[in-house]
Amino acid sequence: MIDHVAVGVGTAVRRTGEGLDCRHVEERGDRMGLLIAPDAVGEGEDGFDWFCETVSSAVMPVMISTRRAAGFRASITDLDLGVVRLTALTCSPVLSRRTLTHVRRGDPEHVQLALLTQGAFRISQRGNESLVAGGLVLTDTSRPSEGACMGGQAESVVMQIPRQALALRSDRVDRLLARSLAADVGSGAILADFLKTLLARGPRCRPEELRAMGSVTLDLATAFLARQLGDPGEAPAEARAQETLQRTYRFIETNLGDPSLTPQMIADRHNMSLRSLYALFADQPLTIAAHIRRSRLERAHTDLASRELSGQPVQAIAARWGFSSATRFSRAFREAYGIPPTEHRALSLAAPRHAEHRNPARHEHHRTLLGPRFSAGDSATA
């Protein structure tokens, strides 16, 4: 299936980029993305063999074939948006087949929404089969599928969406699998235009801008899919609650740098009472205040270890992620990681990254964030 191939190659190239000719790869560490110039995969049987191997090993197992391995060509653009990933692919015609055996061997547990911009694709999954040209199509990595590119060169833009991030019930989403969905009218046209613009402009955005765009992209995709299923207002109460929860998480992610981000502010922005907001998070691993604090600490932890940001004062980085008090930030950081932020920065910058693999004990401060818990009434103000 061509959309599986598109997503697979984007992720695979990102993971194995060091093995490619550096003339073909441009790493944009401050853009959360990776651009592969046209024909980066190369031309010829070696390029096709690499294409198949990386998709199956680095992304998910799938059988890929082509009638013209000797002339196979492909180019890839991969953009990491945080909650979702966007990949554009141009390639020679391929056939794909993912069986139950492939699923058992590896499954990223994504739904993949593909915009087909050139060529025609015959797609089959869950008993549905469609010939799609110029439209959108949804597939599920957890189910067997078959696909074929009909005709010449194929182009697609694919959004990888983790199942847990999509605020729609799985049994409802399953109705749309492998069905041709219009991309030239209504919300489909808006989504299609947005994806194309994002791919063109996204690589020049900063990481926090891309994360915000990831939330917008997911919202647009969710709204589009909900519209295909009927009036979103008719969704069961639990589905609407899940959608509200996911929207709240995305709002927090987008506004972490705002010092005024508190449970009360979030409740006001979402037209609900503070009590309703706390109830929404009642079954979550962390209260909403704890989630805000943890997310801010994670961002600051990452930035303090960045060589590109080594010239910025610790307090500037803390303020960037919503910590208005240097003392409170230092105390919260030490509670979460066991060392003060200045020591974390010094240890992170003292040795090349590859040294961590040779001497893990020296860098044991890079452990998982403990995530201190807060009661429902605690403030997230830092």
Side-chain angles (χ1 to χ4, degrees), residues 61-283:
V62 61
M63 182 177 67
I64 304 172
S65 60
T66 183
R67 295 179 180 178
R68 296 185 58 191
F72 186 83
R73 299 166 67 95
S75 64
I76 305 158
T77 303
D78 186 41
L79 195 63
D80 188 345
L81 303 175
V83 67
V84 297
R85 179 174 292 279
L86 207 60
T87 302
L89 172 74
T90 300
C91 71
S92 301
V94 294
L95 306 174
S96 71
R97 187 165 182 256
R98 181 164 163 84
T99 65
L100 277 175
T101 300
H102 291 127
V103 173
R104 294 189 189 100
R105 284 170 51 195
D107 180 16
E109 298 184 357
H110 290 162
V111 290
Q112 301 174 347
L113 185 59
L115 171 65
L116 311 174
T117 55
Q118 180 175 325
F121 302 83
R122 187 173 298 281
I123 299 175
S124 175
Q125 187 171 59
R126 198 175 176 266
N128 299 329
E129 182 172 336
S130 300
L131 181 64
V132 185
L136 289 148
V137 65
L138 188 73
T139 55
D140 184 352
T141 66
S142 300
R143 298 176 183 273
S145 61
E146 293 187 7
C149 170
M150 315 296 291
Q153 179 174 278
E155 294 183 0
S156 60
V157 179
V158 185
M159 188 192 319
Q160 290 187 78
I161 308 173
R163 267 281 188 178
Q164 62 182 12
L166 188 63
L168 295 171
R169 276 177 36 186
S170 296
D171 59 338
R172 302 183 75 229
V173 173
D174 286 348
R175 304 174 197 169
L176 300 177
L177 296 178
R179 295 191 181 280
S180 180
L181 307 173
D184 57 352
V185 294
S187 58
I190 294 173
L191 176 60
D193 289 345
F194 183 79
L195 294 181
K196 294 173 186 176
T197 301
L198 192 55
L199 276 171
R201 307 287 187 181
R204 291 183 289 277
C205 294
R206 295 188 58 80
E208 58 268 26
E209 293 177 309
L210 288 177
R211 283 192 290 266
M213 289 300 98
S215 298
V216 173
T217 305
L218 181 57
D219 284 341
L220 286 174
T222 302
F224 168 72
L225 294 174
R227 181 58 56 188
Q228 309 309 303
L229 292 167
D231 186 351
E234 297 178 358
E238 62 270 21
R240 293 199 301 272
Q242 180 64 21
E243 183 175 357
T244 301
L245 178 65
Q246 295 301 326
R247 188 184 306 117
T248 303
Y249 273 129
R250 296 195 291 274
F251 180 84
I252 293 172
E253 179 79 12
T254 303
N255 293 277
L256 280 175
D258 186 349
S260 66
L261 181 68
T262 63
Q264 184 63 65
M265 181 264 232
I266 294 169
D268 292 343
R269 290 290 187 90
H270 289 79
N271 299 312
M272 67 174 73
S273 67
L274 189 60
R275 182 174 182 177
S276 296
L277 180 63
Y278 287 147
L280 192 65
F281 277 76
D283 296 329

Side-chain angles (χ1 to χ4, degrees), residues 300-318 333 339-351 363 365-366:
H301 182 272
T302 299
D303 283 359
L304 287 170
S306 169
R307 295 183 184 278
E308 290 77 10
L309 300 176
S310 60
Q312 293 189 14
V314 171
Q315 180 52 30
I317 289 177
F333 194 97
I339 60 174
T342 52
E343 185 177 346
H344 162 63
R345 166 176 268 185
L347 288 171
S348 298
L349 302 179
H363 301 274
H365 66 288
H366 290 291

